Amino acid sequence: MPEISIIARIHTDFATKFGVPRQSGLVDDLEGRIVFEREFRRSDALRGIDRFSHLWLIWQFSETLRTNWSPTVRPPRLGGNARLGVFATRSPFRPNGLALSSVRLQRVEWDTPEGAVLVVRGADLMDGTPIFDIKPYLPYTDIHPDATGGFTDQVERGLLEVAIPDGLLAKVPEEKRKALAGVLAQDPRPSYQHDPCRLYGMEFAGMQVRFRVEGNRLEVVEIAQSIS
């Protein structure tokens, strides 16, 4: 089998997996920059892409690659208590570790020191994630109004109420505030953890954000600059 080339890497506000939205498009305020590898920095390859509103990204779960695989997995949204076939889920623990995300194309920055760069919104990828291919999203064929969502149709997807004290919010750059609130509202915790006394932490945009969750309310208790 021929090797698959990495054509680009995406740069986002997530240095680690914790806090990354579980699906693309859930937090539209999240911005990512797709920078092409030197071999693929050809503006001609992007000719006409700015006429599309959304793109498909084919990428790799680079932080969870394994040499072996299991035919069944435990989806976090089912609390880790039920096993389903790996091909009936979007689990990162797959034979080839490949993923598919739909993102909104915000703009193309044609003339940068890194060549043409795609600025996208709603990505569910860690910083530095390798991308293997990019394809335009086609509404006339990619939208299926009668589609069913399998086990996800029975999973409650309510948003949390997010409380960030003004003093802490002031530490967050203004252009990152809506994105941070959107990520927290999605409830970054593992689905099986519901201890109201537990303190959780995540890295976002160079900041360490610590929070607690009680019931449907998430309260941020600390925001500090990341040491790394």
Side-chain angles (χ1 to χ4, degrees):
M1 292 292 291
E3 292 187 1
I4 300 179
S5 298
I6 297 173
I7 67 165
R9 293 184 183 272
I10 191 169
H11 296 284
T12 70
D13 288 320
F14 297 101
T16 66
K17 293 182 294 182
F18 191 89
V20 176
R22 292 178 174 89
Q23 302 294 339
S24 58
L26 293 177
V27 185
D28 185 68
D29 292 295
L30 286 174
E31 187 173 280
R33 299 178 76 254
I34 297 175
V35 178
F36 289 86
E37 300 291 283
R38 291 189 179 276
E39 181 183 356
F40 299 98
R41 290 181 185 175
R42 297 282 302 273
S43 296
D44 285 352
L46 298 176
R47 186 184 303 168
I49 200 170
D50 50 1
R51 299 179 63 184
F52 295 93
S53 65
H54 291 73
L55 304 172
W56 288 111
L57 307 180
I58 300 174
W59 51 280
Q60 186 179 63
F61 291 109
S62 53
E63 297 299 306
T64 57
L65 288 179
R66 296 179 173 182
T67 56
N68 58 347
W69 69 285
S70 170
T72 61
V73 294
R74 299 178 186 269
R77 277 307 192 192
L78 294 179
N81 298 317
R83 281 195 172 273
L84 292 177
V86 64
F87 301 127
T89 74
R90 294 191 174 185
S91 167
F93 304 110
R94 320 185 69 78
N96 289 309
L98 296 181
L100 180 70
S101 293
S102 173
V103 297
R104 182 160 65 90
L105 179 59
Q106 178 77 2
R107 64 182 181 275
V108 182
E109 297 178 351
W110 293 102
D111 188 17
T112 81
E114 300 162 315
V117 171
L118 302 180
V119 180
V120 300
R121 287 188 174 273
D124 55 338
L125 291 79
M126 278 179 54
D127 184 57
T129 295
I131 295 175
F132 292 133
D133 205 356
I134 298 171
K135 298 177 183 288
Y137 180 98
L138 305 178
Y140 81 91
T141 186
D142 291 342
I143 294 176
H144 301 280
D146 59 342
T148 58
F151 73 89
T152 66
D153 286 342
Q154 285 77 51
V155 177
E156 185 177 351
R157 290 186 291 273
L159 299 178
L160 296 180
E161 173 192 346
V162 177
I164 307 178
D166 291 342
L168 296 180
L169 190 61
K171 298 182 178 182
V172 181
E174 187 172 355
E175 70 274 11
K176 300 290 185 182
R177 293 174 186 176
K178 287 183 65 177
L180 174 60
V183 168
L184 295 173
Q186 294 291 333
D187 194 352
R189 300 174 300 166
S191 298
Y192 50 83
Q193 291 184 1
H194 298 281
D195 183 357
C197 297
R198 180 163 183 165
L199 187 65
Y200 299 88
M202 57 175 274
E203 273 196 71
F204 180 80
M207 298 171 289
Q208 283 285 346
V209 181
R210 301 189 184 280
F211 60 90
R212 290 191 177 92
V213 181
E214 184 171 1
N216 195 47
R217 187 174 189 272
L218 181 151
E219 181 180 8
V220 176
V221 298
E222 181 183 353
I223 295 180
Q225 291 297 313
S226 296
I227 298 176
S228 57

